[in-house]
Amino acid sequence: MQTRTLGKNGPAVSALGLGCMGMSWAYGATAADADEAIATIHHALDRGLNVLDTADVYGPHTNEELVGKAIRGRREQAFIATKFGIVPHPTDPAQRVANGRPDYVRSSCDASLKRLGIDTIDLYYQHRVDINVPIEDTVGAMAELVAAGKVRHLGLSEASGATLERACKVHPIAALQSEFSLWTRDPQGNGMLDACRRLGVSLVAYSPLGRGFLTGAIRSPDDFDAGDYRRGSPRFVGDNFSRNLQLVEQVRSLAADKGCSPAQLALAWVLAQGEEVIAIPGTKQRSRLDENLGALDVRLGAAELKALDAMFPPDAAAGERYAGAMMHMVNV
Ligand SMILES: NC(=O)c1ccc[n+]([C@@H]2O[C@H](COP(=O)([O-])OP(=O)(O)OC[C@H]3O[C@@H](n4cnc5c(N)ncnc54)[C@H](OP(=O)(O)O)[C@@H]3O)[C@@H](O)[C@H]2O)c1
């Protein structure tokens, strides 16, 4: 398994991790998928992939329980990353807000440890920055978890370069998790990737397959189950869907020329953006995991990277990557 160093001096972790969110949440997951999801986690560990990415909000809570069940008896093979800090709005539970209060950091960690059935979380992220709590206070509480042996490494998700810099002054931050893919190139344009390089922080690319779209497998909004989150996500609705489909056709064509799948091309592009980048594509199916791991063997030359950059300028995708209030919670 190809590995990359987590943070400045952290452990070597698999260059591709496994995003576990869709096994329980967001993408139309059903209870019937759980067996294959657990088999997929086992298969990942068998193949030497160790980074398993979850969060307390996925489900909520059921995804951590599922990951916990899957790693029972195999704890040492897994590198468990989970997150805290996205909570229901107190008066409108359909909306989400960030909570970075120190007491909440502590109680969330204990609850995640219990659901995962482990003594120590390998990488603990603040899922979204809470603008009402100084980052120093939140990271200070996270640092206490490291001192207490409950957490090994700290991370932030969707924090700006400036916030990351402040956080690093309190405690080393090993990873910044952000959406990063051919159609979401924000970390390159907003200084996040540069800040990671300067501060010795890994950039963990989530939704590297564009929530499945860049694989070419999604041909129509009708492909989504009734409860699928993407039905209401700006890039997947109306005209945006059709316009974005044209982009995907170009990925399919380049992938065909290269002799790989569109998913492999999309992942190879992410990994080619720098040695500090780790990608965590999500799948609940073993066959797709194998396909995605094949991206590790796809080498993109300068001309191919240039062609992909030309196909996907920063504003190429039609539609924002999040709707409404969730968009305001990123990069703060
Ligand atoms: N920090 C954050 O705020 C944040 C936000 C979103 C996600 N994440 C994390 O990042 C992980 C990955 O992101 P993501 O799941 O949103 O998006 P993604 O990895 O870009 O795409 C996942 C989707 O692609 C499909 N897929 C995967 N491999 C495929 C292949 N080879 N061919 C066709 N379809 C394929 C999956 O379906 P199947 O499962 O059916 O294969 C799933 O619907 C999540 O699981 C989660 O852990 C973090």
Side-chain angles (χ1 to χ4, degrees):
M1 175 56 59
Q2 287 174 37
T3 58
R4 293 195 168 178
T5 304
L6 185 80
K8 218 176 264 173
N9 309 303
V13 295
S14 51
L16 281 182
L18 177 61
C20 298
M21 177 183 79
M23 295 174 177
S24 319
W25 201 52
Y27 301 150
T30 63
D33 294 324
D35 288 346
E36 177 62 15
I38 287 177
T40 303
I41 292 175
H42 289 165
H43 189 54
L45 298 176
D46 289 343
R47 292 212 47 190
L49 179 160
N50 64 349
V51 177
L52 302 179
D53 189 83
T54 180
D56 57 3
V57 74
Y58 301 160
H61 304 152
T62 50
N63 194 238
E64 285 187 331
E65 287 163 1
L66 181 130
V67 171
K69 190 173 168 192
I71 60 163
R72 216 161 288 154
R74 305 188 67 165
R75 173 68 185 99
E76 298 314 314
Q77 289 173 272
F79 185 91
I80 302 295
T82 191
K83 320 181 193 78
F84 72 90
I86 296 182
V87 296
H89 188 283
T91 55
D92 179 4
Q95 301 297 319
R96 302 292 164 87
V97 290
N99 185 346
R101 290 199 310 272
D103 57 339
Y104 184 69
V105 175
R106 289 187 279 272
S107 62
S108 299
C109 180
D110 287 341
S112 286
L113 285 168
K114 197 166 171 205
R115 283 188 291 270
L116 287 159
I118 59 179
D119 300 323
T120 310
I121 293 164
D122 295 306
L123 173 57
Y124 200 38
Y125 291 100
Q126 180 184 26
H127 210 155
R128 289 290 183 276
V129 173
D130 183 349
I131 54 167
N132 299 309
V133 179
I135 192 69
E136 289 78 5
D137 293 0
T138 304
V139 175
M142 293 168 76
E144 286 169 18
L145 299 174
V146 178
K150 295 181 179 185
V151 166
R152 289 198 176 91
H153 303 280
L154 301 185
L156 302 179
S157 175
E158 294 288 7
S160 67
T163 301
L164 179 66
E165 188 145 12
R166 283 170 57 192
C168 285
K169 288 183 181 148
V170 179
H171 189 279
I173 300 295
L176 178 62
Q177 189 171 132
S178 174
E179 185 167 350
F180 189 30
S181 66
L182 279 169
W183 77 351
T184 299
R185 303 185 52 168
D186 306 29
Q188 291 174 318
N190 62 18
M192 196 185 271
L193 187 53
D194 286 342
C196 285
R197 285 183 180 138
R198 197 173 64 249
L199 297 162
V201 175
S202 295
L203 182 78
V204 175
Y206 79 72
S207 302
L209 296 170
R211 300 183 183 272
F213 203 72
L214 298 168
T215 69
I218 299 165
R219 311 304 299 162
S220 145
D222 296 331
D223 290 345
F224 300 132
D225 291 345
D228 195 305
Y229 154 88
R230 291 167 291 194
R231 278 187 177 270
S233 184
R235 290 185 179 174
F236 295 88
V237 295
D239 281 352
N240 289 349
F241 190 102
S242 334
R243 284 170 57 197
N244 290 329
L245 208 50
Q246 290 168 21
L247 285 173
V248 172
E249 287 312 315
Q250 298 184 58
V251 180
R252 284 160 72 98
S253 158
L254 198 67
D257 292 346
K258 180 82 181 157
C260 67
S261 73
Q264 290 169 340
L265 187 69
L267 294 174
W269 179 86
V270 173
L271 292 177
Q273 301 313 302
E275 271 301 306
E276 58 285 299
V277 180
I278 294 161
I280 51 165
T283 182
K284 51 184 177 299
Q285 303 179 47
R286 281 170 286 182
S287 58
R288 285 180 168 176
L289 174 74
D290 282 331
E291 178 187 338
N292 296 345
L293 283 173
L296 294 170
D297 300 320
V298 176
R299 294 274 168 277
L300 297 173
E304 289 161 329
L305 289 168
K306 207 170 156 197
L308 282 163
D309 285 349
M311 250 177 230
F312 285 89
D315 56 354
E320 297 270 35
R321 60 191 178 99
Y322 279 110
M326 282 302 284
M327 194 64 197
H328 294 297
M329 289 171 73
V330 301
N331 198 29
V332 289

